[in-house]
Amino acid sequence: MIVRPHQHWFRRLFSWRGAVLSKIMFRLGLNLLMSIIAVISLQWYETLGVHLTTAPFSLLGVAIAIFLGFRNSASYARFVEARTLWGTLLITSRSLLRQAKGALRRDPAAVAEFTALLLAFSWALKHQLRGTDSSDDIRRLLPADWQNEVLNSPFRANRLLLALGEWLAQQRDRGAISDLLYNGIDHNLNTLSQVLGGCERISNTPIPFAYSLILQRTVYLFCTLLPFALVTDLHYMTPVVSMFISYTFLSLESLAEELEDPFGVDANDLPLNAICNTIERTLCDMNNEALPPPLKPDDRFNLI
Amino acid sequence: MIVRPHQHWFRRLFSWRGAVLSKIMFRLGLNLLMSIIAVISLQWYETLGVHLTTAPFSLLGVAIAIFLGFRNSASYARFVEARTLWGTLLITSRSLLRQAKGALRRDPAAVAEFTALLLAFSWALKHQLRGTDSSDDIRRLLPADWQNEVLNSPFRANRLLLALGEWLAQQRDRGAISDLLYNGIDHNLNTLSQVLGGCERISNTPIPFAYSLILQRTVYLFCTLLPFALVTDLHYMTPVVSMFISYTFLSLESLAEELEDPFGVDANDLPLNAICNTIERTLCDMNNEALPPPLKPDDRFNLI
Amino acid sequence: MIVRPHQHWFRRLFSWRGAVLSKIMFRLGLNLLMSIIAVISLQWYETLGVHLTTAPFSLLGVAIAIFLGFRNSASYARFVEARTLWGTLLITSRSLLRQAKGALRRDPAAVAEFTALLLAFSWALKHQLRGTDSSDDIRRLLPADWQNEVLNSPFRANRLLLALGEWLAQQRDRGAISDLLYNGIDHNLNTLSQVLGGCERISNTPIPFAYSLILQRTVYLFCTLLPFALVTDLHYMTPVVSMFISYTFLSLESLAEELEDPFGVDANDLPLNAICNTIERTLCDMNNEALPPPLKPDDRFNLI
Amino acid sequence: MIVRPHQHWFRRLFSWRGAVLSKIMFRLGLNLLMSIIAVISLQWYETLGVHLTTAPFSLLGVAIAIFLGFRNSASYARFVEARTLWGTLLITSRSLLRQAKGALRRDPAAVAEFTALLLAFSWALKHQLRGTDSSDDIRRLLPADWQNEVLNSPFRANRLLLALGEWLAQQRDRGAISDLLYNGIDHNLNTLSQVLGGCERISNTPIPFAYSLILQRTVYLFCTLLPFALVTDLHYMTPVVSMFISYTFLSLESLAEELEDPFGVDANDLPLNAICNTIERTLCDMNNEALPPPLKPDDRFNLI
Amino acid sequence: MIVRPHQHWFRRLFSWRGAVLSKIMFRLGLNLLMSIIAVISLQWYETLGVHLTTAPFSLLGVAIAIFLGFRNSASYARFVEARTLWGTLLITSRSLLRQAKGALRRDPAAVAEFTALLLAFSWALKHQLRGTDSSDDIRRLLPADWQNEVLNSPFRANRLLLALGEWLAQQRDRGAISDLLYNGIDHNLNTLSQVLGGCERISNTPIPFAYSLILQRTVYLFCTLLPFALVTDLHYMTPVVSMFISYTFLSLESLAEELEDPFGVDANDLPLNAICNTIERTLCDMNNEALPPPLKPDDRFNLI
């Protein structure tokens, strides 16, 4: 799904991929400025009797690194959970289609209707999470008699789940599916409901705002004061070391913020379009239909 | 559900949102006072031969940071679990209504009764967790013949679960639902029981009190003694660095305590009202009924 | 269930609750003694050319803090798992009673027998985990015809589970419960079996003994040698700083040991009596019977 | 199952239990030797202009402590998972017997055959994990007509699972168990299959070899070079501090290696014999048969 | 499955197994070069007034160690999850065959067909994850009438799952399997679908690229600058200490990258061939067929 390029380690060091660097450019520039001010003002600064020594900054830096490690774990856990939920969507879509084909072996029309509802569900979920309009995809995928009901609902993905349940109840009512098989399929519809609710939870509930705030404040303040602490020891080397340390802290802080909301279209976010495309391709293959072409990453190796 | 504002990083630094700062103001002020005392008394203090050097405080600071990282993980895990349980409540309410509508396609009255019991359950749980009175919401939502039974119970949310089970048994008894579908719905009632029990557990069992106590004691004592350790190196810069370090430790300690009980109405707690409102809106939409208006965050971006 | 007192942060600092302090009093006293010896013998000690500097102790202190953080996580995970198992016991007891009432709507006598077996199971489990005698509670709760079988077994909680299974098989045999409902209830009996086995596992398998031993040894030795490392820098301040650092390490080590076995009657252990009482109250309420009074915490805010 | 002795904290410090100390004795002795060489050669060494200062070793020590913390977590997670799998074996054996007794209330001979297969499964799994011969236990437990099939298989535990499935299919074929109860029991056989596969996975897949290797190399090299870094500061105290630091690192590294394979017969490994014995005792009790005597720990508090 | 050699600890230190060393050889050589440059240019370098002191590098080193610990945890979690998924494949294959044999006791031909489909699934999954061609194995294992359908699909493993579902539906249609047993087997097919989707997820979604990049950059830059920071203190010892520290950081960074994609054929990757071979052996044994020979590790103790 996602093409994973193996660049040589040396070329990767100077790569612009990942794009975090561009986000922290301004703050790194600010740090460079402070470093230069620190170096220039050093003599005047020492006559004033103002000292900032490395020791308290060392303590503070380690403490911030520990808390930043915690924040990165929390953000990364959200990213992994989001990816797992979308993986479950793929898995469950396949399982549902396998079950439907097994239960309705001689009714490909009903299976095709079911497939359309499944595909519409994954695209509608993608649009809901990214705040884009799902109308076009719903019109493209759904049979006409389901379209209005879904398009008029403020909760389109959930409405599609309801439609899947309705389809299933219809099959049972007309005797095509026994209660037992109904239960087996219904169990997987519950799983789709869990995927939907799980994605909504990640999307709607950020990491408590105070965490981001406290860490951003301390990281920025730390990077701003750092040159003044380093300059008495390092003199002309202050900008190099200070920017190096700042890069480490700022980039990880910035990445943690990017991963916290994994459904966006940033470089490190989940490629929801590609996953929806994969679901569509795999379900079409199971129905022996023509496959839509796979999505390809762009020049910067990104998929969205 | 929760509107997540994207402020510019620079403006966020000076934001008052998150409200942790206001809670630790007094303690930060105390730290400032100690810093000033340390600076003023430095000369007299050195003649006494009393030294507090940075090295042992550096060791202690790192140790405290490690333990504070542990405490933050534990508190955040409770927050995440609480949020996941409420997400499961939303998911399971939708699944239950989908199942009921599939099983009772021609009996909207019974489905409406079931919906009312489901909605009353989520509001009753919210009131139970916040220690508020659920009577008004129960009277608003429930049909008259269920009201007394629920209002007279000391365990209202659990009594509503019992009522859901009773409703289900009635449907089976009158032949509207087969034993198989009964089992499928009953399975999701077990999930609601898990949500209820899980929330009660988080609400009733704090992190062992000794953890909070040991960490609060060490953090406060550390912040109080810190200026005296820094002053010999930093002189006039002591208040700045000391308050910076204190802010980092005190704010994270304070936030950990706030997140430990995620069902309160603090700025970083879970917006239970908004989640109940979402559940109500989504179930109404599934029944093609008019939707109540969504809750909006207040001026400080908070929902409760 | 557990009343959680909100003391003012200032009063908490001097609180004796949590009771860890009393356990490490002797070791803290030892540390004070070593500090005083270090201060007194400093001059004689320096003429001998014996140095203990802070640097290696700083490295060692951080390493020990990291390992202590790991040990605390492991102990706390046991505490959380134990609490979750007891939460599951409450949840499953309620679900089972809801299922039994739904299946046997017109046979309150059979439901009462089932309730008695459920209640006896939770009390028997509590007694088993604490090593106390469950005979009185079993005689109080069980009908006479089940008593002997249970009292004669060395595995009373498991025997009660077997009795619950026997009750269920009897209901199926006499046609009161269909095979489908039988399966649904049996599934929850499996969950009770998991609760029993999980509690036995936590109770019988401590964290590998070598972990406790290595950490206790290093923490005690570290605290004992620390004054001699600090004294050259800190002179008269040695006892203060040394006891502060020792308090942090010793109290967390002591708490980790306390939490490792969460079924005891220490201040930070699980209030099993209160949980059993809650289960009894909630099941009685579901059967519309009179509720036993709730347990209250003692003067030191502890429940057992 | 495992008797957990509560020694006084003071006596534990000098205890030989846990047996890690004996494993690292040689390496600690090597460290002592290096310390003595460092102290003796100090003067000659300083004239050479060779310096090893504490600062880089402090950085390295903290880094190693962090990685060692990671390795300990990974090893301990394996230990906990292994213990949980064996707990699940106990739980599921009890549940299966409860189900079999409920389904075949009037056929104790069939239940006895089922019990024999269950017991043989747990002993066969123990022998498989420890690489010992299970023939004696299989002959002791199994009826003659099942023995040959199991003894001739290279995968005896799995073959016993197949036999349990075969027994179940026989009961269904002769009409003793309905398809529904068949499914309920079969579900727990799947759980036994998970226990088997999980134990095989832990036993066959160590933590990637490179982790052990990198950490062992760095820990040993670190401990070997450490005396030369400490000696300029500590002089005669070098052996004491150096051995203390080495003890902390070496013993935790050694314990992590021991826990990585929890199915062995080391002091900190799982007492599989005792768990098998407990399973046998609890199933015999459920069948009202005479119980085999419980296993007791040896003089050094160890069970195997 | 994987033979785990127990070398003596002393010989392991100089072992070339694990092969990480060979990957970082070039970068370690670079570090040696920088160290030598640092030692040679020291005097000229000091006259310039350029200082790089250890203190900021100590802070940076600890911060990097913390972040590297996080990256190692994330990579190792992927490795463990991948291994667990393959363990689940083994477990579920056995369970499915046990269920099929129980349901179709008198139809070994149908069971043999089912076994062939199961075996083809695991080999096809292996080939898919490693990007190799599964045609030979599919032709070797599958009956002729299934071959074309599978070989023509771009998603062969998923197509085999569909074929398993088709086989199951055929058995139900011809009355060989009741709906209840159908559901029990179908449930395990869902599990196979989860294994397939989980492996695809791990294979297709690397850890966010920015993490690798930021850490690689900071680790390489850190190791490159380190000699210049150490040289003022350590003089001639700089290359030794610098290479030691670099080895620790570079090797763990390199191993984390290797484990991140556990389906490759590196020394520390999962031995998928061996696991497929074990699945084949265990299913053949269950069918009382001749077993293929087990795979053996090569001279360097590696399996692929």
Side-chain angles (χ1 to χ4, degrees), chain B residues 92-284:
Chain B
T92 313
S93 298
R94 283 173 177 166
S95 291
L96 278 165
L97 185 51
R98 195 195 67 240
Q99 290 178 314
K101 285 175 76 86
L104 299 164
R105 292 181 73 206
R106 286 166 198 85
D107 191 349
V111 171
E113 196 179 359
F114 188 71
T115 311
L117 287 166
L118 274 179
L119 289 177
F121 176 75
S122 59
W123 286 99
L125 180 55
K126 186 211 82 160
H127 285 293
Q128 178 178 328
L129 294 172
R130 290 202 166 152
T132 48
D133 183 15
S134 57
S135 304
D136 288 351
D137 278 316
I138 284 172
R139 284 202 198 90
R140 173 173 71 85
L141 293 160
L142 275 197
D145 45 337
W146 292 106
Q147 283 186 13
N148 277 344
E149 185 187 335
V150 174
L151 288 173
N152 291 334
S153 166
F155 305 102
R156 289 180 179 171
N158 185 47
R159 188 47 83 115
L160 281 159
L161 258 182
L162 189 65
L164 284 161
E166 173 72 15
W167 177 91
L168 191 60
Q170 286 173 6
Q171 305 304 322
R172 200 199 53 200
D173 271 15
R174 68 183 183 93
I177 288 183
S178 72
D179 271 19
L180 263 164
L181 270 62
Y182 177 90
N183 259 13
I185 298 179
D186 188 62
H187 184 79
N188 272 329
L189 291 188
N190 284 344
T191 307
L192 286 195
S193 185
Q194 285 159 21
V195 169
L196 170 61
C199 287
E200 287 175 343
R201 171 169 50 79
I202 293 176
S203 175
N204 290 332
T205 311
I207 292 176
F209 183 68
Y211 271 124
S212 329
L213 192 64
I214 294 170
L215 268 170
Q216 281 196 339
R217 273 184 188 148
T218 46
V219 167
Y220 293 174
L221 193 51
F222 177 76
C223 293
T224 308
L225 292 181
L226 190 62
F228 298 94
L230 296 178
V231 74
T232 38
D233 283 352
L234 301 182
H235 297 268
Y236 300 115
M237 297 303 281
T238 303
V240 174
V241 175
S242 168
M243 281 190 69
F244 184 15
I245 297 179
S246 295
Y247 170 73
T248 310
F249 282 85
L250 287 173
S251 61
L252 281 166
E253 203 281 329
S254 177
L255 182 56
E257 192 166 3
E258 195 170 319
L259 290 185
E260 192 191 324
D261 179 20
F263 298 126
V265 289
D266 285 329
N268 294 295
D269 286 335
L270 288 174
L272 299 190
N273 281 330
I275 301 179
C276 282
N277 173 260
T278 300
I279 295 176
E280 199 165 335
R281 283 169 53 80
T282 194
L283 297 196
C284 284

Side-chain angles (χ1 to χ4, degrees), chain A residues 12 27-28 44 52 56 93 104 122 146 157 174 176 203 210 219 244 253 284 289 291:
Chain A
R12 280 170 75 172
R27 281 161 271 180
L28 273 184
W44 167 78
L52 278 174
S93 299
L104 300 164
S122 60
W146 292 106
R174 69 184 184 92
S203 175
V219 167
F244 184 14
E253 203 281 329
C284 285
E289 288 166 16
L291 273 59

Side-chain angles (χ1 to χ4, degrees), chain C residues 50 67 153 158-159 166 172-173 179 183 186 190 193 200 204-205 211 213 217-218 220 257 261, chain D residues 2 9 12-13 15 72 83 94-95 98-99 105-106 178 180-181 247-248 252 259 282 285 288:
Chain C
V50 176
F67 301 138
S153 166
N158 186 46
R159 187 48 81 116
E166 173 73 14
R172 200 199 55 200
D173 272 15
D179 272 21
N183 259 14
D186 188 63
N190 284 344
S193 185
E200 287 175 344
N204 290 333
T205 311
Y211 271 123
L213 193 65
R217 273 184 186 147
T218 47
Y220 293 174
E257 191 167 3
D261 178 20
Chain D
I2 303 164
W9 64 267
R12 280 170 75 171
L13 292 186
S15 154
N72 268 285
R83 181 61 187 86
R94 283 173 178 166
S95 290
R98 195 195 67 238
Q99 290 177 315
R105 293 181 73 207
R106 285 166 199 84
S178 71
L180 264 165
L181 269 62
Y247 170 74
T248 309
L252 280 166
L259 290 185
T282 194
D285 176 62
N288 292 315

Side-chain angles (χ1 to χ4, degrees), chain D residues 226-281:
Chain D
L226 189 62
F228 298 95
L230 296 178
V231 75
T232 38
D233 283 352
L234 301 182
H235 297 271
Y236 300 115
M237 297 303 282
T238 302
V240 174
V241 175
S242 167
M243 281 191 69
F244 184 15
I245 296 179
S246 295
Y247 170 74
T248 309
F249 282 86
L250 287 173
S251 60
L252 280 166
E253 202 281 328
S254 177
L255 182 56
E257 190 166 5
E258 195 171 320
L259 290 185
E260 191 190 325
D261 178 21
F263 298 126
V265 290
D266 286 330
N268 293 295
D269 286 334
L270 289 175
L272 300 189
N273 281 329
I275 301 179
C276 282
N277 173 262
T278 299
I279 295 176
E280 199 165 336
R281 283 168 52 81

